[in-house]
Amino acid sequence: MTLNEMELQTLRHLIMANDTTSCKMSAYAEQAETPEVRQYFEKAAQTAKDAKNQLMGFLK
């Protein structure tokens, strides 16, 4: 499957957005004061990282 320029650009933006979200959620988790809040942000970070990896699969 070949992606056109617009699809590649959109994919790049989505990958970067998920990477940014993962980094922010990890930072929030580190600053969390309660285990529940830490766990919430860790899960959100992992979800964003998984989405990024899945999107990167379209580039292969």
Side-chain angles (χ1 to χ4, degrees):
M1 177 173 88
T2 303
L3 299 175
N4 66 38
E5 188 64 33
M6 183 162 214
E7 291 168 330
L8 284 172
Q9 184 177 10
T10 300
L11 192 54
R12 182 178 55 122
H13 285 285
L14 289 170
I15 289 168
M16 291 178 68
N18 278 292
D19 187 49
T20 300
T21 299
S22 177
C23 290
K24 285 184 176 185
M25 295 298 119
S26 292
Y28 297 156
E30 289 177 15
Q31 297 175 17
E33 296 183 7
T34 64
E36 295 85 2
V37 173
R38 179 181 298 267
Q39 183 179 16
Y40 173 83
F41 285 120
E42 287 173 346
K43 183 177 179 185
Q46 187 61 51
T47 299
K49 189 180 291 186
D50 292 345
K52 174 192 165 192
N53 291 335
Q54 186 176 15
L55 289 167
M56 288 180 70
F58 290 109
L59 298 176
K60 296 178 182 179

